[in-house]
Every structure is written in C-alpha cells, then in structure tokens.
C-alpha cells in the first residue's frame, strides 16, 4: 500500500496522506500523521494492531495547505470520511440564506472530507488496546521491551518481529482478550466505502486489493501499466477469497438487531 501512496505523491495525484506512524515518545504506539514527503511516507509503512485515530491527521491538511490527500484507515474511519464527502448540502439553499452563509455551512458539512482525494481502507476484524496487548501482555507478561519491536503481522497468530531479527509468536486467542469491545459490534470488515481496500486475508507476502470505485480502478491500472508492482488475479488466491467472503459475511452478522425489530431490518437474511 505504501508503494501506491508513494506513486500517488510522486505523480501529483495527492499532496499528502493521512496515515499512522510510530510515536517517538512511546514505543510501538501508532499515532496519526499527515505526511507530505516520500521519506515520511516510507517511515509510515507497516501495520500496528492497536487503534490509531487517523481521521485526526486530516485536521492538519488545512494547516499544511494540502488540497488532495489520501486517507488510509480501518473501515470505521473510512465511513465518516465518505459520509462527509457525500453529504447533500442542497437543503441549505432555502431562498433566505445569504450566499456567504451557504458557503460557510457547506464547508462545515463537508469538513475534512473535501480534501480527501482517495480513500484507502484496511480490512479489519478487530483492534487491540495498547494498554492491554502491548503493555500488560507483551511487555509485562511476555517480558518483551516495547522498544525492541520492529513490526507486527497477524496470520492466524500474532507475529512479533523484533529489531534484532528474531520472531516471537503469540496465539491470536491470547491477543483477542484485549480487543476493543466496540469492535465486536462492527459490521464492516472490508472497508466497503473505500476507493481501494487492502488486506492480508491469509496471503503471505501479498496484499489482497479490492478496487471499489472507478477512481480507485483508474489509478490502480495506471500503476500496473507503469510496472509499479506485480499483480496476480484473485483466482490464484482461492483461500484468501474464501476468507474474505466468510469474514465479510460473519462481520455483517455482528451488527446488533435493534430491540423489537426482526433481523431483516439490518441484515440480508
Ligand atoms: C488495525 C488493523 C487491523 C487489520 N486487520 C486485518 C484483518 O483482520 N484482516 C486482514 O486481512 N487485514 C487486516 N489489516 C490489514 C493488513 O494488516 C495490512 O495493513 C494490509 O494488508 C496492507 O498491507 P501492506 O503491506 O500493503 O501495507 P503497508 O504498506 O505496510 O501500509 C499500511 C498502512 O496502514 C497504516 N496503518 C498502520 N497501522 C494502522 C492503524 N492501527 N490504524 C490505521 N492505519 C494504520 C500505515 O500508516 C500504512 O499507511 C489490518 C490493518 C490494521 C492497521
Ligand atoms: S473492527 Fe470495526 S470498529 Fe473495530 S477498528 Fe476495525 S473497523 Fe473499527
């Protein structure tokens, strides 16, 4: 994904990206950042599985004068950005309001969404709390100093890569004790409102990429035409496709049914 962002930046398609970077003050804690250079972008690659409010980085777009930003986020972060972009401001025009008030209120309604040129979603089942997983489990119980951790991956189990090159594995079930409770009600696994969604879904060394909008498809096809990365059809990743569909369906079923309503109100049953 970072390769895509770099291409977008170098080709002038974006002038910044809202991503997560490692907090210099607290090891292995991601923090939101609006990056505007290739170096900053490269430093933001890798996935942290604790929650990071990337939406907050969009506040810096205006301050830094960025007009076309790529927004990277988990599905619950993509949805509000897309809602801001799609807000219908036509109701503001009622024949009585002055033009300048309509303009100001439209800006308020569209918010930071107006500066987002591309939404890139990350597939997501759940995220873990920093205090729980990182501090309580990994640091205190497993005895791994957090500054020793280089990166993470989740492939049926949690893989902790250390700076010294060693790898520590943890059962996914052990990490799941520290999942944020909100995630258990989240129905969007695959960032359905993104332009492009990316995830692992069981594929080692490949990013499974879903092109969701004409804009996402057009940009991706240009990257492929320039030989930016190797592309394989999803048919070659039969297992990943199965996992993607299974988790998408399973996650839709997590949305609670409102009291007194039947399931068909919130689910395809
Ligand atoms: C919290 C989280 C949960 C995920 N859950 C799943 C899952 O259940 N199943 C699955 O298949 N894939 C999941 N993914 C996606 C997967 O881990 C990879 O991020 C994805 O495949 C892209 O990999 P890459 O090497 O191409 O991306 P990279 O080039 O490494 O880019 C990753 C991007 O994600 C940003 N990022 C890192 N941490 C966070 C964070 N905590 N919140 C928001 N943005 C972040 C980085 O800044 C970077 O821009 C999850 C990712 C995250 C961050
Ligand atoms: S599971 Fe849903 S609520 Fe939890 S972080 Fe992922 S997208 Fe957000």
């Amino acid at each position: 994904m970072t390769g895509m962002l770099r291409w977008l930046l170098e080709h002038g398609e974006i002038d910044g990206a809202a991503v997560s970077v490692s907090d210099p003050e607290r090891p292995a804690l991601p923090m939101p950042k609006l990056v505007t250079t290739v170096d900053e972008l490269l430093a933001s690659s890798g996935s942290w599985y604790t929650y990071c409010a990337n939406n907050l980085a969009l506040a810096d777009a205006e301050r830094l004068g960025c007009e076309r930003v790529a927004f990277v986020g988990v599905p619950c972060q993509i949805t509000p950005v897309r809602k801001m972009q799609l807000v219908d401001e036509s109701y503001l025009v009622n024949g009585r309001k002055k033009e300048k008030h309509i303009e100001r209120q439209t800006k308020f309604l569209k918010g930071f969404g107006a500066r987002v040129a591309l939404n890139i979603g990350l597939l997501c089942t759940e995220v873990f709390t920093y205090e729980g997983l990182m501090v309580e489990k990994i640091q205190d119980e497993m005895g791994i100093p957090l500054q020793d951790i280089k990166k993470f991956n989740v492939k049926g189990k949690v893989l902790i890569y250390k700076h010294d090159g060693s790898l520590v594995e943890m059962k996914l079930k052990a990490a799941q004790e520290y999942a944020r409770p909100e995630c258990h009600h989240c129905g969007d696994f695959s960032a359905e409102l993104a332009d492009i969604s990316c995830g692992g879904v069981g594929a080692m060394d490949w990013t499974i990429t879903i092109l969701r909008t004409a804009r996402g498809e057009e940009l991706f096809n240009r990257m492929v035409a320039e030989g930016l990365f190797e592309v394989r059809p999803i048919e070659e990743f039969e297992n990943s496709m199965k996992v993607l569909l299974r988790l998408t369906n399973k996650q839709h079923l997590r949305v609670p049914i409102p009291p007194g309503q039947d399931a068909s109100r919130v689910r395809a049953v």
Side-chain angles (χ1 to χ4, degrees):
M1 175 191 296
T2 304
M4 282 199 253
L5 293 170
R6 179 181 185 162
W7 185 93
L8 292 166
L9 195 60
E10 289 179 338
H11 284 70
E13 294 291 343
I14 59 170
D15 48 19
V19 293
S20 299
V21 299
S22 185
D23 188 330
E25 312 274 309
R26 297 182 75 189
L29 176 69
M31 63 172 206
K33 186 166 177 184
L34 201 286
V35 296
T36 56
T37 65
V38 169
D39 284 349
E40 283 182 318
L41 195 55
L42 296 180
S44 74
S45 74
S47 301
W48 300 99
Y49 295 96
T50 51
Y51 186 77
C52 181
N54 283 5
N55 301 62
L56 297 179
L58 289 176
D60 281 337
E62 190 165 5
R63 190 175 62 76
L64 296 172
C66 297
E67 303 284 349
R68 296 183 321 282
V69 165
F71 178 71
V72 176
V74 286
C76 63
Q77 299 172 336
I78 295 288
T79 300
V81 173
R82 190 59 100 193
K83 281 180 87 170
M84 281 194 257
Q85 292 178 316
L86 294 178
V87 75
D88 181 1
E89 73 275 26
S90 56
Y91 77 94
L92 295 173
V93 184
N94 59 9
R96 297 189 302 277
K97 264 189 195 141
K98 289 194 176 132
E99 195 57 43
K100 66 175 181 187
H101 292 145
I102 293 175
E103 210 173 287
R104 199 169 64 218
Q105 289 171 354
T106 301
K107 193 174 171 219
F108 173 78
L109 284 174
K110 297 255 178 204
F112 303 128
R115 289 172 191 266
V116 174
L118 195 73
N119 280 295
I120 304 185
L122 302 161
L123 309 191
C124 183
T125 314
E126 67 212 335
V127 298
F128 311 110
T129 64
Y130 181 79
E131 290 306 326
L133 181 66
M134 304 305 298
V135 178
E136 197 180 312
K137 183 75 186 177
I138 297 181
Q139 178 186 276
D140 298 347
E141 199 181 310
M142 296 170 74
I144 302 174
L146 297 182
Q147 60 270 22
D148 289 2
I149 297 173
K150 185 175 175 206
K151 61 175 190 170
F152 281 90
N153 208 341
V154 177
K155 295 285 171 199
K157 51 195 164 193
V158 179
L159 307 171
I160 307 167
Y161 296 89
K162 293 169 65 180
H163 288 294
D164 66 7
S166 61
L167 169 67
V168 181
E169 296 186 1
M170 185 204 301
K171 282 192 177 140
L172 186 54
K173 248 193 163 28
Q176 282 170 331
E177 281 179 37
Y178 304 99
R180 290 165 77 238
E182 299 88 329
C183 297
H184 297 142
H185 308 294
C186 171
D188 185 358
F189 170 64
S190 61
E192 293 170 17
L193 298 183
D195 292 293
I196 298 175
S197 301
C198 295
V201 275
M204 229 28 186
D205 304 324
W206 290 88
T207 299
I208 301 297
T209 306
I210 308 167
L211 307 177
R212 295 191 172 282
T213 62
R215 178 79 179 134
E217 193 171 7
E218 182 236 319
L219 289 169
F220 187 84
N221 286 344
R222 280 172 55 200
M223 293 176 208
V224 174
E226 287 189 22
L228 185 67
F229 32 60
E230 192 184 344
V231 188
R232 295 274 182 86
I234 190 66
E235 286 73 18
E236 290 183 24
F237 297 84
E238 205 180 322
N239 184 50
S240 296
M241 189 63 188
K242 274 189 196 152
V243 175
L244 175 62
L245 294 176
R246 182 168 55 77
L247 292 181
T248 300
N249 190 42
K250 194 173 160 199
Q251 208 141 316
H252 276 183
L253 297 177
R254 299 201 300 197
V255 178
I257 300 164
Q261 304 286 345
D262 66 72
S264 64
R265 291 287 179 122
V266 289
R267 291 177 192 153
V269 287

